[in-house]
Amino acid sequence: MTGFRLTLAALGATALTLTAAPAALAGTAGITDDVTMTLGKDGTLHVVEKISGGSSGLKRTFITRTRYDDGNDRLYQISNVKGGTFDGDVLTVTSGTVEYDVKGAVMSSGGVEELRWFAVSGWNQQVAKATVKVQGPGQVQNLSCFAGELSSAVGCTAASMDHTGTQADFEQENLATGEALTVVIGYPAGSSKGTPILERRFSLASAFTLNTVTGGALAGLLVLLLGGVGLLYWTRGRDARVAGGDQGAVNPVQNGHFSPPDGVRPGQIGTLVDEQADVVDVTATIVDLAVRGYLRIDEQPRQTYDAPDWLLVRLPTAPVDALLPYEKALHDAIFDGRDAVLLSQLSGTFAAHLGKVRDALYADVVKQGWFARRPDTERTRWTTVGVVLIVAGVLATAGLAWFTTYGLLGLAVIIAGAALAIGGQYMPAKTAKGSAALAHTLGFREYLFSGELGHVPEQHRVELFSRYLPYAVIFDGVEHWSRVVASVTGNGHQADNLYWYHGPAEWDLSKFAGSMRTFCTTTSGAISATRQFRSL
């Protein structure tokens, strides 16, 4: 029996020896880290680490940021590093002793000041043994420690305080590479002036927080900015009122002669009505030049699958010098030193000329006294301000969202900028004279589509109603009025041509309405194909 007991004892000793061997090997394979920490009354934690063992190339990656709450991160600031090279959050050890200061490791919690620091963490080698001694500005109220992953709730090997209650001691063995020993010590409230360093964590939800403050501020800013846009339109963009507000009687035919509203031309009316010099105004002006004897429109014969085309013929006896500047610019652009040109040849060839026509037409409506400023310039000015405001709003939104929770306020600036950019299209305002001309124009439009031909001598109807046609182009009634023109020939018999519009062989006025509709559509297409005459 005695021999059996000895054998068991021998086996037990052998087992103990085998069990202890890996621990001994682990100790020789890792580093030893003796840490002394002192918390000052200003909340700064001074740390001294004495490191031994391990291999060369020793580095430590500090934990400098942790999650604090749903909207903030807690920062730990490392400074005054000695005994190593500190870059970013990586410490490269150059000697056996390392010193540094930590700020942000103290916060108030549960009526005490809590010091929390990752005393040993982020080493690129295994830590065989770590000891931590902590001195503070007051009596230790409580202490705890955790070892392993950063989120670990596993306690360290040992934690205690000395008999005076002013020093806390911690110990941990065998920390794997990258693992941490976190120590937590509580001191009486007011022991130090330390506070946590918080940094708001960016997220769309928090950046655009909607609460009483942000919602009220957003509503107030929207009212202020949009109210300002409305005030601008009220003071700058409204047409001046016409005294009496009456359109006045319209009598387009006086003493057997055509009399348009206030004697204005179709292109002028088009610009007055929509405040834009667009392709319809130019098309109507071409028809008007033909009706008034400055050019002739000859429809070209075509086969079944040929595209329709027209020859514009310059009439040499026409008094070109009597034309208004925008009309002369258009006349010159069409012929450009030639006596005739196919409409198909104009497409895409005279963009620069059309730009001059547009400028001259805008200048003309200002000269007429209908606008105080050019409508295109007015639109561009306010639209540009709106775009600048949008850009400022985008930058403000990005800045407010990144640094604060008031990103919604930047959206208010964007909305106001968009309102101004869109509202800029309505900022051109007519003068009282322009409003009166518009009222007369609208009355003329009603007459034009009323079907009342008036007491016009039959022999003059073709000429007089031809003079109405360019205005019908402006008012989008070309097909209706073309039928009127075609139906009122001098003696009631079918005619082959008009004095300003010639058709091919076997063409007569019964086909005029379709021809005129196609001509206007084709002409507008040829102009817009230049891509230089778009409405702003």
Side-chain angles (χ1 to χ4, degrees), residues 104-227:
V106 179
M107 66 174 292
S108 297
S109 177
V112 298
E113 281 191 2
E114 179 185 272
L115 168 65
R116 176 183 292 266
W117 178 237
F118 317 101
V120 181
S121 65
W123 288 106
N124 63 345
Q125 298 181 27
Q126 179 181 348
V127 178
K129 184 176 181 180
T131 59
V132 180
K133 298 182 182 296
V134 184
Q135 293 282 345
Q139 294 285 327
V140 175
Q141 303 295 300
N142 55 68
L143 54 82
S144 59
C145 61
F146 308 97
E149 297 294 332
L150 185 60
S151 59
S152 172
V154 178
C156 61
T157 303
S160 62
M161 69 179 73
D162 65 358
H163 66 281
T164 64
T166 59
Q167 178 176 302
D169 298 294
F170 304 90
E171 184 176 325
Q172 177 62 35
E173 296 182 354
N174 298 326
L175 281 174
T177 301
E179 291 185 338
L181 169 61
T182 305
V183 299
V184 182
I185 306 102
Y187 294 101
S191 298
S192 75
K193 299 178 181 178
T195 56
I197 302 172
L198 303 181
E199 182 179 271
R200 192 176 68 87
R201 186 187 313 111
F202 176 78
S203 69
L204 289 177
S206 61
F208 296 94
T209 300
L210 181 60
N211 51 38
T212 304
V213 176
T214 58
L218 175 62
L221 193 57
L222 279 174
V223 169
L224 180 64
L225 292 176
L226 294 181

Side-chain angles (χ1 to χ4, degrees), residues 341-384:
V341 62
L342 288 170
L343 185 61
S344 58
Q345 294 175 341
L346 296 180
S347 180
T349 62
F350 57 115
H353 295 290
L354 285 176
K356 294 178 181 178
V357 176
R358 180 188 62 184
D359 288 341
L361 197 47
Y362 279 128
D364 183 86
V365 293
V366 174
K367 182 180 179 181
Q368 296 293 332
W370 297 338
F371 295 91
R373 291 168 293 275
R374 286 177 48 142
D376 59 331
T377 303
E378 194 75 0
R379 278 192 299 272
T380 300
R381 177 186 296 115
W382 291 109
T383 300
T384 301

Side-chain angles (χ1 to χ4, degrees), residues 30 70 109 134 156 200 225 229 239 283 382 421 445 473 533:
D70 290 341
S109 177
V134 184
C156 61
R200 192 176 68 87
L225 292 176
V229 173
D239 294 343
T283 300
W382 291 109
R445 183 181 184 276
V473 174
F533 200 68

